[in-house]
């Protein structure tokens, strides 16, 4: 049973977060290992395994990048821990320029520039999310894989912005 089936959700990128969360809570309640604490070892082990599966599925489906990776995995494209390098030199150049800009902002301690840069990083992420949503909806698996690889860069950039924000405020 895949994660979408487990949560009785349609196989699509766009998910209802509140439905996902409420189903997660219900599944947790239903399959919690404490419910079978007095049963035999096999039953308790199965309950622990089911609870673990539910938690893993929830963590995967609630995060857009993980969800896209999982959808691609179901199509035979495994992006987890892959060693393939990004093949888009224009995108790589853009990433280098963005990192240099962030480094400059960090050195200058310019809060306003950091705020503007954070918005730019968020816009890049939002654009890539929209692109992957479209590619997955149209079953364009290879295109979606390329976009997910780019999304990973955008996620790291957003994390770096948060780190710099913490550094400048702390």
């Amino acid at each position: 049973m895949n994660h979408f089936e487990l949560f009785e959700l349609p196989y699509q990128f766009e998910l209802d977060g509140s439905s996902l969360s409420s189903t997660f809570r219900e599944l947790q309640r239903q399959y919690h290992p404490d419910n079978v604490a007095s049963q035999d070892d096999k039953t308790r082990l199965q309950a622990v395994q089911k609870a673990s599966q539910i938690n893993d599925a929830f963590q995967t489906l609630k995060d857009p990048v993980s969800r896209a990776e999982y959808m691609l995995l179901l199509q035979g494209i495994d992006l987890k821990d892959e060693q393939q390098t990004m093949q888009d030199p224009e995108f790589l150049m853009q990433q280098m320029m963005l990192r240099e800009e962030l480094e400059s902002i960090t050195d200058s301690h310019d809060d306003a520039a950091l705020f503007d840069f954070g918005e730019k990083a968020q816009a890049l992420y939002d654009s890539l999310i929209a692109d992957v949503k479209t590619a997955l909806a149209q079953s364009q698996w290879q295109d979606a894989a390329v976009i997910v690889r780019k999304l990973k860069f955008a996620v790291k950039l957003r994390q770096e912005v948060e780190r710099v924000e913490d550094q400048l405020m702390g």
Side-chain angles (χ1 to χ4, degrees), residues 96-108:
M96 285 178 39
M97 291 172 60
L98 288 170
R99 299 227 181 257
E100 288 173 5
E101 184 180 347
L102 182 57
E103 186 176 320
S104 174
I105 291 169
T106 303
D107 292 343
S108 70

Side-chain angles (χ1 to χ4, degrees), residues 29-134:
R29 194 171 21 259
Q30 184 178 351
Y31 291 102
H32 197 278
D34 287 350
N35 295 342
V36 294
S38 63
Q39 307 241 349
D40 62 82
D41 288 346
K42 181 181 178 186
T43 303
R44 288 195 314 263
L45 177 61
Q46 287 173 334
V48 168
Q49 290 172 336
K50 187 67 169 185
S52 177
Q53 178 190 16
I54 291 164
N55 287 329
D56 289 345
F58 179 70
Q59 294 303 318
T60 297
L61 294 178
K62 80 174 188 174
D63 176 66
V65 177
S66 296
R67 183 169 58 245
E69 281 184 313
Y70 183 71
M71 289 179 73
L72 290 169
L73 180 62
L74 293 177
Q75 297 301 320
I77 301 170
D78 188 357
L79 298 180
K80 289 274 189 205
D81 304 320
E82 73 173 356
Q83 299 302 315
Q84 183 171 341
T85 58
M86 177 62 62
Q87 300 295 320
D88 184 342
E90 186 178 314
F91 181 79
L92 291 172
M93 183 60 73
Q94 175 195 35
Q95 291 304 300
M96 285 178 39
M97 291 172 60
L98 288 170
R99 299 227 181 257
E100 288 173 5
E101 184 180 347
L102 182 57
E103 186 176 320
S104 174
I105 291 169
T106 303
D107 292 343
S108 70
H109 301 284
D110 185 343
D111 291 342
L114 181 59
F115 178 80
D116 291 342
F117 186 86
E119 287 186 339
K120 186 188 306 186
Q122 184 64 45
L124 172 64
Y125 174 84
D126 292 343
S127 173
L128 290 168
I129 286 290
D131 291 347
V132 80
K133 176 183 169 186
T134 300

Side-chain angles (χ1 to χ4, degrees), residues 1-9 23 27 31 50-58 61:
M1 174 179 293
N2 74 45
H3 298 343
F4 292 94
E5 292 168 348
L6 177 63
F7 280 82
E8 297 178 356
L9 293 168
T23 303
L27 288 170
Y31 291 102
K50 187 67 169 185
S52 177
Q53 178 190 16
I54 291 164
N55 287 329
D56 289 345
F58 179 70
L61 294 178

